[in-house]
C-alpha cells in the first residue's frame, strides 16, 4: 500500500512505514534529504502542493496513508 511521506527528510518515518508493510514515497524539496531517503523508498522532489501531478510506479494510486511531518 502506498504511503506518502511529506517533508520526508532523512527517512526515519519512512523506515517505520516499510517495517509496517507499506511502500513509502518520500516527498521533499531538498535534494540532499532525498538522497538519504533513497535507502528507504522511492522519492519525488517537489513542492507538496504539486502532488496531484505525481505518477507513482506508472499510475496515480490513492495513498493509504499520508504523513506530513513539519520541516525541521
Amino acid at each position: 500500500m502506498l504511503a506518502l511521506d511529506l517533508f520526508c527528510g532523512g527517512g526515519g518515518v519512512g523506515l517505520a512505514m516499510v517495517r509496517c508493510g507499506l511502500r513509502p514515497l518520500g516527498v521533499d524539496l531538498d535534494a540532499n534529504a532525498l538522497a538519504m531517503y533513497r535507502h528507504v523508498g522511492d522519492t519525488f522532489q517537489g513542492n507538496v502542493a504539486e502532488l496531484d501531478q505525481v505518477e507513482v510506479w506508472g499510475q496515480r494510486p490513492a495513498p493509504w496513508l499520508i504523513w506530513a511531518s513539519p520541516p525541521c
Side-chain angles (χ1 to χ4, degrees):
M1 288 183 279
L2 173 63
L4 292 180
D5 188 356
L6 308 181
F7 315 106
C8 66
V13 171
L15 184 57
M17 291 174 176
V18 169
R19 290 185 178 173
C20 289
L22 301 173
R23 190 170 182 186
L25 174 67
V27 181
D28 207 307
L29 283 173
D30 185 351
N32 293 322
L34 295 175
M36 289 188 293
Y37 195 91
R38 286 191 182 99
H39 74 282
V40 174
D42 294 320
T43 60
F44 174 78
Q45 183 173 8
N47 189 325
V48 297
E50 299 170 359
L51 283 182
D52 62 336
Q53 302 171 17
V54 176
E55 277 197 13
V56 182
W57 311 298
Q59 52 187 309
R60 297 179 120 188
W64 184 80
L65 173 73
I66 298 174
W67 184 274
S69 296
C72 297

